[in-house]
Amino acid sequence: MNKIVIAIDGHSSCGKSTMAKQLASTIGYVYVDTGAMYRAVTLYALRHGMLKGGKIDEAALCRDIEDGKVSVSFQFNQQTGRPDTYLCGERVEDEIRQMEVSNNVSPIAALPFVRSFLTQQQKAMGKDGGIVMDGRDIGTAVFPNAELKIFVTASAEVRAQRRYDELMQKAEADPSAPKPNYAEVLKNVQERDYIDSHREVSPLKKADDALMLDNSNLTREQQSQWLIEQFRKVTGEY
Ligand code: DC
């Protein structure tokens, strides 16, 4: 069978990226983290003073995108075995995971011109199949014909705790990194859920033909097995 497209959508911080990366490496597919692309555009807007006092300078951001000044790409990192995100040729894998970007990414991702700019690139990346793409609208807008669609969720509290643990680990490893606050992380998760599900363009929504995966009480091992099982059902491989 030809290599298929696997679309993994769902709420923020429910481990989509980790599971998608792992699945891609097990089955030898390319992994694309579309959230990282929206984060990179947000970092661009922050760095260029286009986000001030909760307001976005949409005209300036749209102009820079149209003028080709904003470029987002991935490069495989041999050391980690995973793709790193680049903004205008600079590696920004760490910067895009910081709270300032997390707090501003949802309104940027709601802008129609940002979505069409990134969606176009995502479609091109997956046109020959052999891809595991994670995001919010992959099974509904980017690849509505994907052969395997998964919609992942977990309770907001479970997701906030996972995100908090991740940020805490980073803060312990790097004393200059800010220490997270659980209440703030939970608020961020809930706010992002709301904005992502209520925006006009491509809101976060389960595709009718997507399989639902609630991983609140699953171990990583159980989840990986479930995913491989779904892949096997569709392709007959593994
Ligand atoms: O998966 P993540 O938390 O890194 O995503 C960051 C933000 O980008 C999140 O608020 C939702 C948005 N996003 C989106 O709107 N569409 C996608 N395909 C991927 C992410």
Side-chain angles (χ1 to χ4, degrees):
M1 178 169 186
N2 285 338
K3 290 191 166 186
I4 64 167
V5 170
I6 303 176
I8 302 193
D9 290 306
H11 290 104
S12 64
S13 305
C14 58
K16 286 190 307 297
S17 310
T18 312
M19 85 172 71
K21 251 178 242 167
Q22 200 184 14
L23 176 65
S25 104
T26 308
I27 61 181
Y29 276 28
V30 171
Y31 164 65
V32 177
D33 174 358
T34 62
M37 300 172 82
Y38 288 94
R39 287 171 178 271
V41 173
T42 306
L43 183 64
Y44 182 93
L46 283 165
R47 284 182 170 177
H48 290 79
M50 295 170 181
L51 267 162
K52 280 196 189 132
K55 282 208 146 191
I56 307 171
D57 187 345
E58 290 184 35
L61 181 58
C62 188
R63 199 172 46 238
D64 280 5
I65 288 178
E66 278 174 5
D67 290 350
K69 290 187 181 158
V70 189
S71 82
V72 180
S73 56
F74 294 102
Q75 271 181 41
F76 192 73
N77 180 329
Q78 298 284 356
Q79 267 176 343
T80 60
R82 289 165 184 175
D84 282 343
T85 312
Y86 282 72
L87 172 64
C88 306
E90 177 196 343
R91 182 184 177 278
V92 291
E93 195 51 40
D94 302 318
E95 290 84 345
I96 60 168
R97 311 285 166 198
Q98 288 174 354
M99 264 328 246
E100 197 186 11
V101 172
S102 298
N103 287 339
N104 287 288
V105 63
S106 279
I108 293 281
L111 297 172
F113 60 88
V114 171
R115 298 207 74 82
S116 67
F117 167 59
L118 295 179
T119 301
Q120 233 176 334
Q121 293 186 28
Q122 292 154 11
K123 286 187 175 175
M125 289 172 182
K127 70 178 185 351
D128 299 324
I131 202 151
V132 181
M133 196 173 271
D134 89 59
R136 302 293 188 287
D137 59 341
I138 311 306
T140 52
V142 183
F143 289 110
N145 297 323
E147 290 87 346
L148 177 57
K149 298 182 187 177
I150 316 246
F151 189 88
V152 199
T153 191
S155 74
E157 289 73 17
V158 166
R159 289 183 284 133
Q161 187 63 51
R162 288 177 186 161
R163 183 96 195 96
Y164 172 86
D165 292 344
E166 211 177 278
L167 290 167
M168 190 52 116
Q169 251 180 14
K170 276 193 190 151
E172 277 164 6
D174 170 9
S176 68
K179 279 228 164 18
N181 167 299
Y182 176 78
E184 199 184 309
V185 176
L186 177 62
K187 188 164 163 261
N188 175 263
V189 164
Q190 289 167 329
E191 278 172 4
R192 280 207 281 161
D193 282 357
Y194 186 85
I195 304 179
D196 293 345
S197 320
H198 290 81
R199 67 174 174 234
E200 245 167 71
V201 190
S202 305
L204 169 65
K205 164 170 155 288
K206 179 184 165 299
D208 291 339
D209 52 351
L211 304 169
M212 181 68 109
L213 169 65
D214 182 334
N215 67 11
S216 303
N217 300 306
L218 289 185
T219 63
R220 281 205 183 160
E221 186 52 32
Q222 289 170 324
Q223 179 168 277
S224 308
Q225 280 177 1
W226 183 87
L227 278 170
I228 288 287
E229 182 62 33
Q230 307 318 310
F231 177 71
R232 188 183 303 126
K233 279 186 191 160
V234 174
T235 62
E237 292 167 27
Y238 273 87

